[in-house]
Amino acid sequence: MTTRELQEYWRTQKRCWKHVKLLFEIASARIEEGRVSKFVMYQIVVIQTGSFDSDKAILERRYSDFEMLQKKLLKTFREEIEDVVFPKKHLMGNFTPEMISERKLALKEYLGLLYAIRCVRRSREFIDFLTRPELKEAFGCLRAGQYTKALDILVHTVPLQEKLTSHCPAMVVPSLCAMLVCHRDLECPTEAFAAGERALQCLQAREGHRYYAPLLDAMARLAYELGKDFVSLQKRLEENQLRRPAPRAFTLKELTVQEYLY
């Protein structure tokens, strides 16, 4: 991109950026028996407000997960969240219907208050709380060659990740590239290309991003297979390689399998 094209791109992007407003509900809770003790699993539903949301997210977290989030946030945002009340654990009665119902309301309010604080809702800690367990499982399935299972998880998690990272679209690129790899290895090139297009859109002005060249390479190969314009993609790749020569070029799959290892 020329300087003028880059400036025009960012002007367009800035006009398009809108704060995505999300609503959190604790839809249900159930008691589960662990190896050592029992615990309550809370079902969180995340919905985009202002319009019909066909991609509402449904995830499950334990009280200990909320507790860990609070501890992490206190390390970085102690002043910002000083007025946010975290539901405390009780010595007795944690599994009574009344206590579970009370905690459901408290946890819903807790998430809403955190989300209302801009720096918190954009933080890695908050985003990871809502997406990392599912993404870690999905990337684990990818590494194991369980592409269909990985896609099942990604299809439900990526829309939420996109809503949470609308301020920084590049954050969702590894997940979109994982979808490309899964679809491609399942011999579904059309779906793979569609996932790649979404990833490229996120990286339009970030040619130095570590996923940029491997993604272009994968997309050029898919475009050739599908009878699409692969020449322009190949040209962009060659120009990028001339500007940013790398000692070793990683494939897209080699990059994605390194994500969410820990």
Side-chain angles (χ1 to χ4, degrees), residues 244-262:
R244 296 177 175 83
R248 181 185 183 281
F250 289 93
T251 67
L252 195 63
K253 190 170 187 177
E254 286 174 335
L255 278 183
T256 55
V257 296
Q258 295 298 317
E259 300 285 351
Y260 296 94
L261 284 169
Y262 308 105

Side-chain angles (χ1 to χ4, degrees), residues 73-142:
L73 291 175
L74 283 172
K75 290 181 180 179
T76 311
F77 305 105
R78 181 171 291 275
E79 290 186 10
E80 290 83 352
I81 67 170
E82 62 181 359
D83 294 326
V84 177
V85 177
F86 180 73
K88 299 295 183 183
K89 183 179 286 187
H90 296 273
L91 293 175
M92 297 179 66
N94 287 296
F95 301 103
T96 64
E98 295 78 13
M99 180 55 67
I100 291 174
S101 180
E102 180 183 319
R103 185 163 284 168
K104 280 172 57 181
L105 292 173
L107 290 173
K108 171 189 172 180
E109 183 178 1
Y110 172 70
L111 288 175
L113 290 171
L114 291 180
Y115 185 75
I117 305 169
R118 181 177 177 178
C119 61
V120 173
R121 70 170 173 262
R122 291 185 171 187
S123 68
R124 172 64 69 181
E125 293 88 347
F126 188 74
I127 295 170
D128 278 354
F129 169 77
L130 293 167
T131 60
R132 188 175 181 84
E134 289 74 18
L135 290 174
K136 188 175 181 181
E137 182 182 0
F139 278 84
C141 291
L142 188 158

